Amino acid sequence: AQKALELIGKKTPNLTILDKDLKSEIQKEVALKSNTQNKIKGLFCGGTLTAETLSVLRDSVDHVTSNVAKKENEKMSNPMESKGHNLVDLGDDIFTQGKPHPMIEPMIRLDRILLEANNPETSVILLDFELGIGSHDDPVGVTMDTILEAREIASKAGRHLTFVAYVCGTDKDFQGLEKSEKLLKDNHIIVAKTNAHAAI
């Protein structure tokens, strides 16, 4: 989209830049990691956002797998199991048979967050939150207790979990974009400007 605007002479902000404050925040997070923590776990409600994250990460992170991958060497052998760098679309049919989509009822993702918190290799958990009609009334709020519990699980094991989130919505969505982002920031979660920015 940025390239298209450039081609018709429109200037756009670079939404992939890590500013000084964000770089400082990342450095603080890295300093708190244990030696075992070296894997990224993406737990997504949106399949398109999962695929976008894979396309961003594949150039800088080796051996990223996902249940939305088209390339054989990037496909997860079992989306139910967490091994290595994983980007999981939790809205996939394998997770939603007989259950609501996680955009509506996030229990599937809440359980998976706790699973990842117990995994010694988990360093960063990427999350997306979709606002608007058809989504949970408060997707960030309903997830917060689980995020705090996950941090506590990791802390008791001598580890530190970093959460990076992207909220997909506008100020017109009834859940409130600003309110959702503020709740994340108030709980020391890194909030990205775009989904691609979260992956970077």
Side-chain angles (χ1 to χ4, degrees), residues 24-178:
S24 174
E25 190 174 354
I26 290 169
Q27 287 172 351
K28 289 175 185 175
E29 291 286 316
V30 170
L32 296 170
K33 301 297 180 184
S34 74
N35 292 335
T36 66
Q37 294 182 273
N38 54 15
K39 296 297 185 287
I40 299 167
K41 310 293 182 176
L43 304 177
F44 294 88
C45 294
T48 301
L49 297 180
T50 314
E52 180 183 41
T53 301
L54 177 60
S55 71
V56 172
L57 285 181
R58 70 162 53 103
D59 291 335
S60 55
V61 180
D62 292 332
H63 310 299
V64 182
T65 61
S66 176
N67 62 331
V68 301
K70 303 300 182 193
K71 299 178 181 179
E72 283 301 320
N73 65 317
E74 292 181 339
K75 290 182 179 180
M76 291 181 76
S77 56
N78 182 358
M80 298 292 192
E81 294 180 4
S82 176
K83 293 179 182 177
H85 300 294
N86 296 147
L87 306 174
V88 185
D89 170 21
L90 294 163
D92 190 279
D93 290 348
I94 191 173
F95 295 104
T96 57
Q97 291 179 13
K99 299 175 184 177
H101 192 281
M103 280 177 58
I104 302 166
E105 170 47 63
M107 188 55 66
I108 297 167
R109 182 157 73 171
L110 301 185
D111 290 343
R112 188 64 175 252
I113 289 171
L114 297 181
L115 178 72
E116 300 297 4
N118 280 287
N119 187 340
E121 70 178 19
T122 303
S123 178
V124 178
I125 296 180
L126 296 173
L127 300 173
D128 62 333
F129 295 94
E130 281 74 35
L131 308 184
I133 297 169
S135 290
H136 191 278
D137 286 350
D138 185 11
V140 173
V142 77
T143 308
M144 196 53 62
D145 284 347
T146 301
I147 289 174
L148 298 178
E149 184 181 350
R151 280 184 175 156
E152 184 66 20
I153 289 169
S155 180
K156 286 181 178 178
R159 294 179 278 111
H160 175 77
L161 279 183
T162 300
F163 285 88
V164 179
Y166 166 59
V167 183
C168 181
T170 73
D171 57 0
K172 303 296 184 187
D173 291 313
F174 72 91
Q175 296 94 338
L177 177 61
E178 186 177 344

